[in-house]
Amino acid sequence: MDLLFCLGDILSDFRHLFNQQNFALFQAFIFGFIANRGRGTLTDLYQCSGSGTKYWSFPKFLSRGQWNADAVAAVLIKRIQRDFRSWVYVYDETKALKTGIAQWGLHFFRNFSYQKRRVNQSKFHYGHEFGALGLLCQTPTCWLLFPVWVKLIAPQTIRDKSFAVLKRICSKIPRGLIIFDRGFAWRKVFTMALGFGHHILCRAKSNAVFYRLPKQPKHPQRGRPRKYGDRLDIRRLRYKDVDINAKSYSIASKVVRTRMCDADVRLVVIRTRPKVSKPYRYFCVFTTDLTLEIPKIIEYYQQRWQIETAFRDVKQHFGFDAYRSKSRKSINRFVQLSFVAASLTKLLFTTPNAPQKAISVEKVCQHLGIHWYRPEKLTQGLRVAYLRSQMAVSSFFAKFNEKTNSQNIQVSFQDDTPLPFDEAA
């Protein structure tokens, strides 16, 4: 039961954000998200949480509870950054498919997989979009991404547009490096993030243009000095082989300028060639942090994909898209609590000072009775299954002790007590 005691210890860090009743409901939500085996609706959470309150306290906690979801995300980020020294931010967007018109912020968005031989699906989806922030942390053995902050995007309102949500998140987090996908390669986004003191690491689009640094003229002339030099041709750069994580890459790097950002950026180009008869392919990543080494830049962007798997895990195990709330506040609070539960599940198994450091893949599989699956490291599915088994045992003993009345139960039979089968004989 060390895992459950450790979970309660971590939840105590959020105590100052709630009053007594709301903190009990907050704990019930977290336990319900982890322990539920259904879709993760409010009914599933209430049944699995073991809460002694009435069911209606759960929707009231989301809609009328006196607590701030942004403050919960800030405490979670502070706790994770305290345990891990090496960390970076990852920002991306995800979607939740819905039906009907009762919920707030529903709209149509493009289905980009429609053209990939999926003609039986609609070209547009109807539902919600969310802007999510993940904290990518380095452990002694691997990289882990903790989903820490999520906000609902509603293009119909100025306050909840995609850029407004990103700006709200960037303004409240500590300064650091933010990793974006190429869909966010936009000058307005970079200017905003740099204005708050963050650094940018982003993949360049296929039509991106980079310029060399301008040369200082020998004889200065009148007018504004040049900001951009000659246009850079990535095919003419000097490439060399670099070994990163036991793999060899053909890489070129150069400090350049681009119209997407006011600051100088370091451009890293990876050149690949699948066949000798085929032309080269170029993968471009650039960052405003000029102190980063080339292997670190590539490793950071390689680990960015973990936020996509984190979205899959919260939807599969923690009921991220199973909300039935109608208001903007309730939806934002529900998905934020889902992110907190997913992050705490990972934090339980990776905290450096936790007592359960000895838990290995073999021990978890043996406890769950799994003999056909041996992954190299603990997956989120194994963590959730192991925690659920621990919670099931603890809840069984708790209910057994509550319903047991020691005064009305005879512990042992006396010698002269007649037994039913003695009378029958």
Side-chain angles (χ1 to χ4, degrees), residues 91-93 112 162 166 179-187 189-190 201-206 260 286 301 304 308:
Y91 185 83
D92 203 357
E93 295 178 357
F112 290 98
S162 177
L166 176 59
I179 304 176
F180 293 100
D181 198 9
R182 60 181 177 179
F184 296 92
W186 188 23
R187 182 182 178 87
V189 172
F190 294 162
L201 175 60
C202 185
R203 179 184 174 184
K205 295 182 179 180
S206 58
M260 293 180 293
F286 62 94
Y301 196 82
R304 191 211 68 86
E308 308 292 348

Side-chain angles (χ1 to χ4, degrees), residues 61-346:
F61 176 75
L62 296 177
S63 60
R64 291 184 288 177
Q66 298 296 324
W67 60 282
N68 191 352
D70 294 344
V72 173
V75 172
L76 179 62
I77 293 175
K78 184 178 180 180
R79 172 58 191 260
I80 297 175
Q81 291 178 351
R82 185 184 67 185
D83 293 338
F84 301 93
R85 295 183 178 180
S86 180
W87 52 266
V88 292
Y89 298 112
V90 181
Y91 185 83
D92 203 357
E93 295 178 357
T94 185
K95 302 176 177 62
L97 303 184
K98 292 293 177 180
T99 57
I101 58 175
Q103 292 177 320
W104 186 87
L106 290 172
H107 65 280
F108 283 101
F109 47 80
R110 186 72 177 269
N111 179 15
F112 290 98
S113 62
Y114 177 78
Q115 302 295 338
K116 297 180 181 180
R117 299 180 182 178
R118 293 185 178 183
V119 294
N120 59 334
Q121 292 189 4
S122 173
K123 199 170 184 178
F124 294 92
H125 285 325
Y126 190 66
H128 286 132
E129 291 184 274
F130 298 92
L133 183 74
L135 200 59
L136 185 64
C137 303
Q138 186 178 16
T139 65
T141 57
C142 62
W143 287 87
L144 287 176
L145 187 134
F146 298 90
V148 292
W149 209 324
V150 61
K151 279 289 184 182
L152 179 63
I153 297 175
Q156 303 93 334
T157 60
I158 299 178
R159 177 186 176 185
D160 297 289
K161 285 187 176 181
S162 177
F163 178 76
V165 170
L166 176 59
K167 183 177 180 180
R168 195 178 312 153
I169 293 178
C170 291
S171 62
K172 296 182 179 181
I173 59 177
R175 297 179 181 178
L177 177 68
I178 306 178
I179 304 176
F180 293 100
D181 198 9
R182 60 181 177 179
F184 296 92
W186 188 23
R187 182 182 178 87
K188 187 176 181 180
V189 172
F190 294 162
T191 303
M192 179 271 300
L194 293 175
F196 287 113
H198 301 289
H199 282 294
I200 300 298
L201 175 60
C202 185
R203 179 184 174 184
K205 295 182 179 180
S206 58
N207 59 350
V209 179
F210 296 94
Y211 301 90
R212 299 179 183 272
L213 298 180
K215 298 180 179 179
Q216 297 295 333
K218 297 182 179 179
H219 304 286
Q221 299 178 356
R222 296 178 59 185
R224 183 184 300 174
R226 292 188 61 183
K227 188 175 181 180
Y228 302 99
D230 299 333
R231 182 170 177 172
L232 180 68
D233 188 358
I234 59 176
R235 297 173 298 178
R236 298 181 178 273
L237 295 176
R238 296 181 180 180
Y239 292 86
K240 61 180 181 179
D241 295 334
V242 179
D243 294 334
I244 302 175
N245 295 333
K247 291 185 179 180
S248 181
Y249 299 91
S250 180
I251 298 176
S253 174
K254 194 173 185 62
V255 178
V256 296
R257 288 187 178 178
T258 176
R259 298 187 185 276
M260 293 180 293
C261 181
D262 294 331
D264 297 345
V265 298
R266 178 175 295 279
L267 176 66
V268 178
V269 185
I270 303 177
R271 184 178 65 176
T272 58
R273 195 172 192 176
K275 294 183 180 179
V276 180
S277 59
K278 299 292 182 178
Y280 284 106
R281 296 179 181 178
Y282 300 93
F283 184 88
C284 302
V285 181
F286 62 94
T287 177
T288 57
D289 191 356
L290 303 181
T291 61
L292 282 179
E293 299 179 354
I294 297 176
K296 208 67 174 179
I297 295 174
I298 298 175
E299 187 177 10
Y300 279 159
Y301 196 82
Q302 285 178 344
Q303 300 299 329
R304 191 211 68 86
W305 182 255
Q306 289 197 31
I307 196 170
E308 308 292 348
T309 60
F311 291 153
R312 177 202 62 192
D313 292 336
V314 294
K315 293 177 182 178
Q316 184 176 357
H317 301 294
F318 299 97
F320 176 85
D321 55 351
Y323 51 87
R324 299 292 184 268
S325 304
K326 294 184 178 181
S327 65
R328 176 180 62 87
K329 179 188 290 186
S330 298
I331 296 174
N332 277 322
R333 287 181 170 183
F334 186 93
V335 294
Q336 182 60 54
L337 292 176
S338 175
F339 265 37
V340 172
S343 296
L344 294 186
T345 302
K346 285 187 177 181

